[in-house]
Amino acid sequence: MSFSHRRFSVSKGPSTNELNSPIHRQFRDAHEGHRPHAGLDPSRASTGVVWCTERANEHGFQDAPNDWANLGQGAPEVDDDIEGSFDRPKTINVSMAGREYGSTAGIKPLRVAIANLYNAHHRQGKDSQYTWENVAVVPGGRAGLIRIAAVLNNAYLGFFIPDYTAYNEMLGLFKNFAAIPSPLSEADGYHIHPDKIAEEISRGTSVILTSNPRNPTGQVVKNPELAEIQDIARDRATLIMDEFYGGYNYTSNCDGTTVSAADNIVDVDEDDVILIDGLTKRFRLPGWRVAWIVGPKEFIKAIGSCGSYLDGGTNVPFQEAAIPMLEPTKVLNEMKALQRHFKMKRDYVLRRLGDIGFKIKNIPDSTFYIWLDLRSLPREINDGLNFMQRCLEEKVIVVPGIFFDLNPAKRRDLFDSPCHHFIRLSYGPRLEVLEKGLDGIERVIKKASASYEKST
């Protein structure tokens, strides 16, 4: 008996009786095994940014990307013309070792360089110092998050809303922990207060995941509050701190200070604090896919090992090329240049948005994102999805806020989400791209306002 024509039926197709039967249709809809392509779940393929890019491709973005302003993707400009910034390598030397398989935890010289950087910038004068055994190199931030998730124990994992869209997929992949959302208050800028952490731990949360600096709101939790949060969690919960935007810190007069929980760790092998960062954002090399996880040796050994069955490890020649970039003085000077340049772009975008008519309640003090409230706009464009659609017509990409209301178990109707009336706007691209994008946004609002006035 052949099932080649139809996966779940011996006939050539569903009978008329089946097609017209509500109970048959209800049964198929309720049981995944009876759906077309039942072995696949295409809905798991897209993060929010990817989904928006796919919509842009439907409007021609893929065919002529230079005609567009991509203010959606979380990527910094990668050019070498930022004043005070070091030039990125344009060629990569491939050593004989680079032709071989590398350790899934990363090559030792790079792990040594990363540990040295953290000790120089965050552990000066402290008895407990990081070593190479406290570092695992991973092929990008998402791969690092997946590795961390793979080694978590049976636990309640707390996460905050809004936060980074890719957490949604990571939190939904594994069943060894239960992901528990915790909404933050818009009224105080979605700030994570120490008492919020204490509340999460008191209800049984034993793992807490968050970005800091915060994506998408552009805010940072810094000392002394960050230290207080770590004191509350010590010996009670594991903190997973996504610090990819740690260098985009505008709270210390652009002096190069990088925000990191590494400042407040008492014992690098006893404090349950896992940090993730990499070349992607603050070193402006997203295409290299070189990132790292820093934490207690016990965690790092497991995280390094699980790469053997998850991702196979990071490209060795790019690891070798990264080593000289991590010299501490060089990095400090790089962060000063980065902060001056991106603060200038932030101020330009905020000024333009103000001229267009937006009211920015919370000025971002970190990252390169603006969490933009649309509720003052005409009704037809005052939610993220409709606003994004109109922006696509002007060759501008933004990300609707609804994607940052993480919903990994799909238990909530996100159209009731308070994030639905926001977008995340990135000022990562070059200044001329920002100008083009803001011009497009201004056209969107003028057209909608004219349409509204005409209808009234």
Side-chain angles (χ1 to χ4, degrees):
M1 186 179 295
S2 173
F3 292 82
S4 59
H5 295 296
R6 185 168 181 243
R7 187 187 296 268
F8 301 107
S9 176
V10 296
S11 66
K12 293 181 179 180
S15 67
T16 302
N17 182 55
E18 183 178 340
L19 286 172
N20 295 332
S21 166
I23 193 65
H24 274 266
R25 293 198 302 271
Q26 185 180 23
F27 179 79
R28 287 188 179 278
D29 288 342
H31 295 78
E32 294 184 0
H34 292 273
R35 296 175 186 167
H37 309 294
L40 303 175
D41 183 1
S43 69
R44 300 186 74 104
S46 293
T47 63
V49 173
V50 172
W51 189 87
C52 294
T53 305
E54 289 169 349
R55 304 291 75 74
N57 289 340
E58 293 167 1
H59 286 73
F61 171 63
Q62 193 169 33
D63 298 325
N66 292 333
D67 295 341
W68 286 65
N70 187 354
L71 310 186
Q73 187 161 24
E77 57 184 284
V78 299
D79 308 84
D80 286 331
D81 53 3
I82 294 178
E83 184 178 353
S85 179
F86 66 79
D87 289 347
R88 271 58 181 162
K90 295 179 174 61
T91 60
I92 299 293
N93 179 54
V94 181
S95 67
M96 292 303 293
R99 299 182 185 184
E100 302 281 355
Y101 282 124
S103 166
T104 55
I107 61 173
K108 183 176 177 180
L110 180 55
R111 296 167 73 184
V112 168
I114 294 166
N116 180 52
L117 176 63
Y118 275 80
N119 290 335
H121 284 188
H122 304 291
R123 308 293 301 165
Q124 288 279 2
K126 300 181 188 297
D127 292 334
S128 180
Q129 298 283 300
Y130 287 117
T131 73
W132 66 274
E133 293 177 288
N134 295 107
V135 179
V137 180
V138 291
R142 289 175 180 82
L145 289 167
I146 293 297
R147 287 203 198 185
I148 291 169
V151 303
L152 292 179
N153 204 344
N154 186 28
Y156 287 124
L157 183 149
F159 62 96
F160 301 102
I161 296 171
D163 214 326
Y164 176 39
T165 63
Y167 294 166
N168 209 54
E169 282 64 37
M170 183 270 276
L171 293 171
L173 280 175
F174 293 89
K175 306 304 180 187
N176 49 321
F177 55 84
I180 311 296
S182 183
L184 298 175
S185 169
E186 180 191 348
D188 67 353
Y190 306 98
H191 190 66
I192 300 177
H193 296 283
D195 57 2
K196 186 71 170 175
I197 300 297
E199 178 185 316
E200 292 302 303
I201 293 173
S202 69
R203 65 171 178 165
T205 301
S206 55
V207 180
I208 294 173
L209 166 68
T210 186
S211 59
N212 190 48
R214 308 274 303 138
N215 174 8
T217 60
Q219 305 294 325
V220 65
V221 181
K222 59 185 190 304
N223 288 330
E225 273 192 313
L226 181 57
E228 186 179 349
I229 285 170
Q230 290 177 246
D231 288 342
I232 291 169
R234 187 170 289 110
D235 299 324
R236 302 173 70 194
T238 297
L239 293 179
I240 303 170
M241 307 295 288
D242 175 348
E243 297 185 338
F244 269 92
Y245 299 94
Y248 296 86
N249 164 40
Y250 318 121
T251 67
S252 55
N253 200 29
C254 299
D255 65 356
T257 298
T258 299
V259 175
S260 177
D263 287 322
N264 309 312
I265 288 169
V266 175
D267 188 312
V268 299
D269 287 319
E270 294 297 328
D271 282 26
D272 285 352
V273 179
I274 300 174
L275 314 175
I276 182 166
D277 197 355
L279 300 184
T280 306
K281 298 297 192 290
R282 63 188 179 112
F283 290 86
R284 300 187 296 111
L285 289 168
W288 281 34
R289 313 307 298 157
V290 176
W292 53 78
I293 300 168
V294 177
K297 292 177 184 177
E298 183 180 13
F299 280 123
I300 294 302
K301 184 177 181 180
I303 287 167
S305 296
C306 72
S308 63
Y309 63 84
L310 286 174
D311 54 59
T314 309
N315 180 298
V316 174
F318 282 96
Q319 290 188 66
E320 293 174 334
I323 295 167
M325 297 182 197
L326 301 182
E327 192 278 318
T329 301
K330 188 174 190 177
V331 173
L332 180 63
N333 291 332
E334 177 70 17
M335 295 304 100
K336 290 178 182 178
L338 183 87
Q339 290 165 9
R340 287 193 298 265
H341 182 73
F342 277 80
K343 182 177 182 294
M344 175 273 293
K345 293 199 296 179
R346 180 202 68 176
D347 294 346
Y348 165 76
V349 173
L350 289 174
R351 186 169 61 252
R352 280 291 309 274
L353 289 171
D355 292 343
I356 291 170
F358 285 100
K359 300 289 189 293
I360 311 296
K361 296 178 184 176
N362 298 294
I363 303 300
D365 60 14
S366 59
T367 74
F368 45 75
Y369 299 123
I370 296 172
W371 185 239
L372 194 59
D373 190 342
L374 307 175
R375 283 173 290 191
S376 64
L377 301 181
R379 184 174 181 180
E380 63 187 271
I381 58 167
N382 76 354
D383 67 85
L385 288 168
N386 276 313
F387 190 84
M388 180 201 75
Q389 180 65 31
R390 297 297 181 89
C391 284
L392 294 179
E393 295 168 6
E394 301 295 336
K395 293 185 166 53
V396 179
I397 305 173
V398 296
V399 181
I402 199 170
F403 288 108
F404 300 91
D405 189 349
L406 307 182
N407 187 31
K410 298 179 174 59
R411 293 190 174 100
R412 293 180 291 116
D413 183 351
L414 288 181
F415 285 94
D416 295 326
S417 167
C419 297
H420 194 33
H421 296 278
F422 287 81
I423 60 163
R424 188 192 72 176
L425 187 153
S426 169
Y427 54 92
R430 292 172 61 90
L431 190 59
E432 56 265 33
V433 177
L434 299 179
E435 293 171 352
K436 184 191 300 184
L438 289 163
D439 288 345
I441 288 173
E442 188 168 13
R443 291 193 300 272
V444 166
I445 293 172
K446 285 182 176 178
K447 288 178 181 179
S449 298
S451 175
Y452 175 77
E453 290 172 5
K454 188 176 180 179
S455 66
T456 56

